[in-house]
Amino acid sequence: MARTPIGPLEYTRRTWMRLTLLATFVFLYAPIVTLVAFSFNDSRRNIVWRGFTTKYYEKALGNSDLIEAFVNSLTIALLSTVIATVLGALTALLLWRFRFPFKAGYEGAMALPIVIPEICMGVAMLAFFAKVGWPSGLPWPLSLSAIIIAHVSFSFPFVAVVVRARLAGFNQELAEAAQDLGASEWRVFWDVMVPFMRPGLVAGALLAFTLSLDDFVITFFTSGPDTVTFPVKVYSMVRFSVTPEVNAASTVLIVLTVVLTGIALWMQFRQEKKSS
Amino acid sequence: MSSSGTAPAANSGSPIIEVSGLCKRFGSFSAVENIDLTIGRGEFFALLGPSGCGKTTLLRMLAGLELPSDGTIRIDGQDMSFVPANKRPINMVFQSYAVFPHMSVLDNVGYGLRIDGVPGDEIRRRAEEALELVKLGGFGARRPDQLSGGQRQRVALARALVKRPKVLLLDEPLSALDAKLREAMRLELVNLQETVGITFVIVTHDQSEALSMATRIAVMNQGTVQQIAPPAELYEFPASRFVADFIGSVNLLEGRVEAASGGRIRLACPGIATPIEMEQDRLPAVGSTGWVALRPEKIDITKEPPVEAGMNTVSGKVEEITYLGETSVYHVRIAPDLPLMKVSSANLDRVTRRAFTWEDPVHLSWTSSCGVVLDR
Ligand SMILES: Nc1ncnc2c1ncn2[C@@H]1O[C@H](COP(=O)(O)OP(=O)(O)OP(=O)(O)O)[C@@H](O)[C@H]1O
Ligand SMILES: [Mg+2]
């Protein structure tokens, strides 16, 4: 039986293409698969497979320091997401709706935190909080304030960019139609603009949430001596030895991040299908 | 101008819209210039003009979506020049229909009533009534993306009508529909307007649309109103060469007015041997330049010179024939440096048995009362 010849666009049937794909997947996912697999390894050390167990998950959940760090991380992520989403959406609206002097400059400056190396942001934040004499030793939720401010500052541009992209496709006549039917500017905003922006807001918020949840560098520089977040805590545990407990905790974080990203993509996809 | 065969404007009582000295400038560009306009209650008024002439801008000023640079807009006797759109008793059907994509059809139609704080069950009843009116009964639960373009337009119509506005504005409502549907919608819009009795102001650049629907038409060009008249009057008695040319097809013969008295005008046209005689109430000044405007279907084309007396006659040669189905248009050369005369004649017989063909010498004739003499 003669094989059909490979068409010009049938890349997936070419050997070199398949090899490249395979190599890419191995490089991308082998470390993660190893991490997840070894979180179930019944051994103190992370080198040889000694059988399946879930005891390190139990141990991780029983580690009160780790849990405290996890709660801190979630609190920071939630609060900074809310603030970043509102701030980012308003920024996007401002850039979409108005013309003002140096608008291009402002737009560039606003997006700077996306491109600035995190280490520089971290150092800058450290210097800033030291300079203004940000109080330390505050009671619990307030003790996170410096980290939250830092997180908002690097995540709101992401929200702004996403929402701004969504607004570019807005039909101004929708707002005018609402106004024509009797809606005040405020009602036009709530009844027409917000529903239109919603997919962008959700995607932006999830982005901000995941960015905040796994941020290490900036948090490391801005956290005080007695506030520890999950990534910082994991780092300090790894300094002694990489135990399956660390693997287990990391796996939980990976699952959380993947699920949230999945939700974001799904909502985006659903909206696209609706509007086409 | 003339009293012959024109529909009366549906004016009863005071006008619903009075526009005076209205201007709109965008920077140094003048989109609408010094427009005066009165629209009566219950009229179906059309704004007609070429692309970019300011129709949409004028309509948006009526709606309150654009503020005038100068002049006033009175709606039902009240000065509304600077009243925002949400406080005007006027609703609009947008060119893109602007149906809210995140609301069901029923919620779309009921939106205006909800803003007004009408109780829920009344919103529902009135919205369903409005949908019934535009023949979309039973579509209430659908989402806009489950509707065709024509149905979406009906939703926009129902949404605007449900508030019982004093005036309904429509910006090129039929331009996105296909030819057949457009024709059907024309009739439907006219019927709808008669049913609800609301004043309609429609923007269009399609002259046949305006002629077939409107009670009165304002022809616009470059931000100004050229003429306001009922359709038949606009077609038979255009006020300027622009209007004559924009509405339908026209032959323009330029000449010098030799005599004008007693309702008769005589023009000497260069390139044409005998002077042209026309009848008209409005007389131009003797010695001025005038243009005889003749509709192609009002000119007779014959092989022999006409026998009746008192006809204007020119002779020429057929240069071009355009077949249009029910009619054929003959393009006749009457003088070497004059534009070709267009003469249309009904195809009563088979095309193969047509009386004239290319290069045939023909005589064109018309009576003195079937055209107009224009002075601008
Ligand atoms: N916001 C604006 N800024 C500057 N110029 C504008 C603005 N809106 C309209 N114009 C100009 O005003 C003129 C009239 O525009 P308008 O939209 O009223 O035309 P129109 O008669 O509706 O044309 P069309 O039939 O193509 O819709 C155009 O030359 C247009 O470029
Ligand atoms: Mg327009």
Side-chain angles (χ1 to χ4, degrees):
Chain A
M1 196 180 80
R3 282 189 53 183
T4 49
I6 297 174
L9 291 176
E10 288 184 289
Y11 291 114
T12 48
R13 286 181 59 193
R14 304 214 166 132
T15 317
W16 61 265
M17 193 66 187
R18 289 180 181 178
L19 284 176
T20 316
L21 264 176
L22 188 71
T24 313
F25 276 108
V26 168
F27 274 113
L28 270 178
Y29 292 111
I32 296 174
V33 170
T34 318
L35 172 95
V36 174
F38 276 85
S39 69
F40 297 105
N41 189 12
D42 192 3
S43 157
R44 286 254 334 113
R45 304 202 142 260
N46 240 339
I47 300 156
V48 246
W49 183 257
R50 289 260 164 82
F52 182 86
T53 178
T54 54
K55 77 171 178 216
Y56 288 104
Y57 281 87
E58 284 159 32
K59 198 168 168 200
L61 291 176
N63 184 337
S64 64
D65 283 357
L66 197 60
I67 293 296
E68 189 198 318
F70 203 79
V71 169
N72 276 347
S73 268
L74 280 181
T75 313
I76 292 165
L78 273 175
L79 288 175
S80 74
T81 298
V82 170
I83 300 171
T85 306
V86 172
L87 213 58
L90 292 180
T91 310
L93 271 171
L94 178 89
L95 291 172
W96 170 74
R97 179 75 191 272
F98 299 105
R99 273 190 291 170
F100 47 88
F102 309 114
K103 177 173 167 178
Y106 177 78
E107 204 161 355
M110 180 219 73
L112 222 47
I114 298 178
V115 290
I116 286 184
E118 262 193 279
I119 183 75
C120 305
M121 279 284 280
V123 174
M125 287 292 170
L126 179 66
F128 169 75
F129 286 117
K131 182 85 190 157
V132 300
W134 197 261
S136 61
L138 293 165
W140 176 63
L142 289 179
S143 59
L144 306 173
S145 56
I147 305 178
I148 291 174
I149 290 170
H151 283 199
V152 167
S153 76
F154 76 76
S155 60
F156 95 91
F158 286 90
V159 180
V161 166
V162 173
V163 175
R164 174 92 169 84
R166 170 100 190 136
L167 279 173
F170 183 72
N171 174 6
Q172 187 61 41
E173 285 196 347
L174 286 177
E176 288 176 349
Q179 200 196 351
D180 182 66
L181 290 165
S184 59
E185 286 211 31
W186 186 240
R187 286 216 65 164
V188 172
F189 177 72
W190 280 110
D191 293 349
V192 180
M193 300 299 301
V194 170
F196 183 84
M197 291 193 296
R198 185 168 296 136
L201 291 176
V202 170
L206 286 167
L207 206 56
F209 188 80
T210 42
L211 280 173
S212 163
L213 200 59
D214 71 7
D215 179 72
F216 174 77
V217 179
I218 294 174
T219 314
F220 188 74
F221 280 92
T222 42
S223 57
D226 31 55
T227 36
V228 175
T229 69
F230 184 76
V232 174
K233 176 71 190 164
V234 167
Y235 173 71
S236 69
M237 287 164 77
V238 168
R239 287 229 313 253
F240 304 110
S241 72
V242 183
T243 60
E245 191 185 345
V246 173
N247 285 21
S250 303
T251 303
V252 172
L253 193 62
I254 288 176
V255 169
L256 202 69
T257 320
V258 166
V259 166
L260 283 174
T261 314
I263 291 174
L265 288 176
W266 176 72
M267 293 195 91
Q268 197 83 319
F269 170 75
R270 207 182 53 157
Q271 191 61 36
E272 258 159 39
K273 220 174 55 177
K274 225 189 244 174
S275 57
S276 67
Chain B
M1 208 176 280
S2 170
S3 57
S4 65
T6 53
N11 275 316
S12 61
S14 59
I16 191 86
I17 292 180
E18 294 160 276
V19 168
S20 65
L22 197 63
C23 294
K24 179 69 194 182
R25 285 179 286 271
F26 295 109
S28 62
F29 175 76
S30 196
V32 166
E33 241 178 278
N34 201 17
I35 284 187
D36 297 309
L37 200 64
T38 4
I39 300 176
R41 277 166 218 278
E43 263 199 279
F44 199 125
F45 194 90
L47 294 171
L48 177 64
S51 188
C53 71
K55 308 179 293 285
T56 300
T57 308
L58 175 57
L59 204 70
R60 287 170 60 83
M61 281 195 280
L62 293 181
L65 296 167
E66 208 88 69
L67 294 180
S69 312
D70 215 337
T72 55
I73 299 171
R74 297 175 78 79
I75 297 164
D76 205 8
Q78 274 179 295
D79 187 350
M80 294 239 167
S81 314
F82 294 99
V83 173
N86 50 337
K87 303 226 166 64
R88 293 195 189 190
I90 283 190
N91 285 118
M92 180 150 166
V93 175
F94 289 82
Q95 195 164 2
S96 68
Y97 309 148
V99 174
F100 304 129
H102 57 281
M103 294 183 196
S104 71
V105 167
L106 199 70
D107 287 345
N108 258 284
V109 177
Y111 182 74
L113 299 175
R114 214 171 76 220
I115 298 265
D116 289 351
V118 176
D121 44 344
E122 193 188 332
I123 294 180
R124 203 186 162 76
R125 187 178 53 74
R126 280 173 64 180
E128 269 164 4
E129 250 172 47
L131 282 173
E132 211 69 58
L133 193 67
V134 297
K135 308 204 173 97
L136 276 184
F139 280 70
R142 291 227 201 163
R143 298 209 139 253
D145 55 358
Q146 298 167 319
L147 298 178
S148 72
Q151 290 167 334
R152 233 170 288 168
Q153 180 191 38
R154 286 156 193 267
V155 174
L157 255 173
R159 185 178 68 179
L161 282 173
V162 80
K163 289 200 71 180
R164 298 177 191 146
K166 290 181 176 162
V167 181
L168 183 74
L169 308 174
L170 303 107
D171 192 358
E172 311 224 5
L174 307 182
S175 61
L177 307 179
D178 69 61
K180 272 269 181 262
L181 188 58
R182 201 177 325 177
E183 203 117 319
M185 274 308 284
R186 277 186 203 172
L187 206 65
E188 233 177 86
L189 275 180
V190 171
N191 288 339
L192 185 68
Q193 196 260 343
E194 277 167 10
T195 313
V196 296
I198 292 170
T199 308
F200 277 32
V201 180
I202 183 172
V203 159
T204 174
H205 58 242
D206 181 341
Q207 42 138 332
S208 64
E209 216 167 274
L211 289 175
S212 63
M213 293 196 288
T215 53
R216 278 198 312 152
I217 300 171
V219 180
M220 292 182 63
N221 189 29
Q222 294 183 345
T224 59
V225 168
Q226 298 277 317
Q227 186 176 3
I228 303 175
E233 189 180 320
L234 210 56
Y235 189 76
E236 305 285 346
F237 302 99
S240 65
R241 281 178 294 158
F242 174 82
V243 176
D245 196 39
F246 191 74
I247 310 278
S249 172
V250 76
N251 295 294
L252 290 168
L253 293 170
E254 186 176 336
R256 209 178 54 83
V257 180
E258 281 192 330
S261 65
R264 292 189 73 81
I265 304 165
R266 197 171 72 235
L267 287 104
C269 301
I272 297 171
T274 48
I276 295 173
E277 298 226 358
M278 300 299 292
E279 282 173 47
Q280 188 166 299
D281 294 345
R282 200 180 43 153
L283 297 174
V286 174
S288 63
T289 308
W291 290 268
V292 181
L294 294 166
R295 297 291 181 194
E297 73 278 7
K298 302 220 160 103
I299 302 175
D300 274 337
I301 179 166
T302 49
K303 268 204 169 112
E304 308 296 330
V307 286
E308 308 131 72
M311 296 278 273
N312 294 293
T313 311
V314 292
S315 54
K317 207 177 246 184
V318 177
E319 253 191 29
E320 202 73 62
I321 303 174
T322 319
Y323 177 68
L324 295 173
E326 64 246 54
T327 60
S328 289
V329 178
Y330 299 91
H331 299 258
V332 180
R333 170 77 64 202
I334 55 168
D337 43 5
L338 284 185
L340 296 174
M341 285 276 274
K342 288 165 284 187
V343 181
S344 76
S345 109
N347 290 328
L348 301 175
D349 209 336
R350 284 272 182 76
V351 175
T352 46
R353 274 179 269 158
R354 178 147 68 185
F356 319 101
T357 181
W358 287 266
E359 297 300 320
D360 274 358
V362 290
H363 294 271
L364 308 181
S365 56
W366 63 92
T367 63
S368 57
S369 60
C370 73
V372 285
V373 179
L374 305 171
D375 52 11
R376 63 187 167 103

